[in-house]
Amino acid sequence: MLQKQFKFSNEAGTDEAGRGCLAGPVTAAAIILPDSFSSDMLNDSKLLTEKRRNLLRPILELNAICFGMAHVTPDEIDKINILNASILAMHKALGQLKKDPKLIIVDGNKFKPFKNISFECIIKGDSKYMSIAAASVLAKTYRDDYMEKLHEKYPMYNWKQNKGYPTKEHRAAIKKYGITEFHRKSFKQLPDE
């Protein structure tokens, strides 16, 4: 069962999606939920079906005190590395919040200070706290939408299905067609033969 808060009301949860992908952006979301919010459906986005995530997104957006979402491009990922790009995406999402939180709770174990707001890194936070789980759902659904749009431009990689992750099918397409401007050049696109 997800807990409402880590410490305070007015806490922002933040999480990212797409860290391990070969193509597409890393996407982060940040959200502040009201104390009154509850949902039996909400969980870590990785444990939810696509249908459930898509049902949850409008509920979260409607009920949130505020939320933000941001993409960091493959070019930027290649320049600053995936960890820094993930943190940058979270900072950009936090920067969109219409209200400064008392505390930022972050899924994972690495973060950099944002403004002068205290933060706490929580490993597997997306399966422990509502606001991080909510951020994980928003990040995942917005990134999935983005990859489905890119799929129309490059259908041979089947991004609408694999979302840019290193599936056998995605790697076979890279081997056959090469890489696009949406692939991360700093990532190992194909395993050693």
Side-chain angles (χ1 to χ4, degrees):
M1 185 71 193
L2 296 171
Q3 293 178 47
K4 287 210 173 191
Q5 288 104 13
F6 177 68
K7 279 186 183 158
F8 305 111
S9 302
N10 188 25
E11 228 168 46
T14 186
D15 197 7
E16 51 64 35
R19 244 177 110 150
C21 293
L22 301 177
V26 64
T27 302
I31 189 167
I32 301 175
L33 291 169
D35 293 347
S36 58
F37 182 78
S38 71
S39 166
D40 294 335
M41 228 190 330
L42 183 59
N43 206 335
D44 168 5
S45 66
K46 293 183 286 299
L47 303 175
L48 298 171
T49 61
E50 185 174 5
K51 187 179 174 189
R52 275 221 151 159
R53 288 193 297 267
N54 289 330
L55 280 170
L56 267 167
R57 183 164 109 189
I59 295 167
L60 295 170
E61 291 179 348
L62 193 68
N63 286 281
I65 290 169
C66 52
F67 69 93
M69 185 284 302
H71 300 296
V72 170
T73 65
D75 281 350
E76 192 75 5
I77 293 167
D78 290 336
K79 279 187 201 118
I80 63 175
N81 82 38
I82 189 62
L83 174 64
N84 288 320
S86 298
I87 294 169
L88 176 63
M90 289 191 237
H91 280 200
K92 286 180 166 192
L94 286 160
Q96 292 173 15
L97 297 179
K98 291 180 172 56
K99 182 178 180 178
D100 277 344
K102 249 191 216 170
L103 177 73
I104 298 163
I105 55 175
V106 184
D107 184 52
N109 62 355
K110 297 263 192 310
F111 194 65
K112 291 175 184 167
F114 177 77
K115 294 185 176 176
N116 284 320
I117 303 166
S118 299
F119 68 86
E120 200 76 47
C121 291
I122 302 162
I123 293 168
K124 295 197 181 346
D126 48 6
S127 57
K128 293 175 184 166
Y129 297 99
M130 275 194 185
S131 62
I132 299 179
S136 81
V137 168
L138 294 182
K140 176 84 177 112
T141 54
Y142 276 102
R143 189 181 185 283
D144 285 358
D145 288 355
Y146 188 97
M147 293 310 291
E148 282 167 29
K149 283 193 185 83
L150 291 187
H151 170 84
E152 290 164 24
K153 193 171 179 182
Y154 292 104
M156 65 284 252
Y157 298 97
N158 199 15
W159 288 334
K160 75 172 194 285
Q161 192 70 45
N162 64 50
K163 309 297 192 267
Y165 281 92
T167 60
K168 270 186 185 160
E169 174 195 44
H170 188 187
R171 286 200 150 131
I174 291 168
K175 202 168 183 176
K176 186 171 179 183
Y177 302 105
I179 60 171
T180 68
E181 71 269 33
F182 299 108
H183 282 92
R184 301 172 185 179
K185 320 292 183 284
S186 57
F187 278 45
K188 190 174 186 175
Q189 296 288 332
L190 293 170
D192 295 328
E193 301 263 311

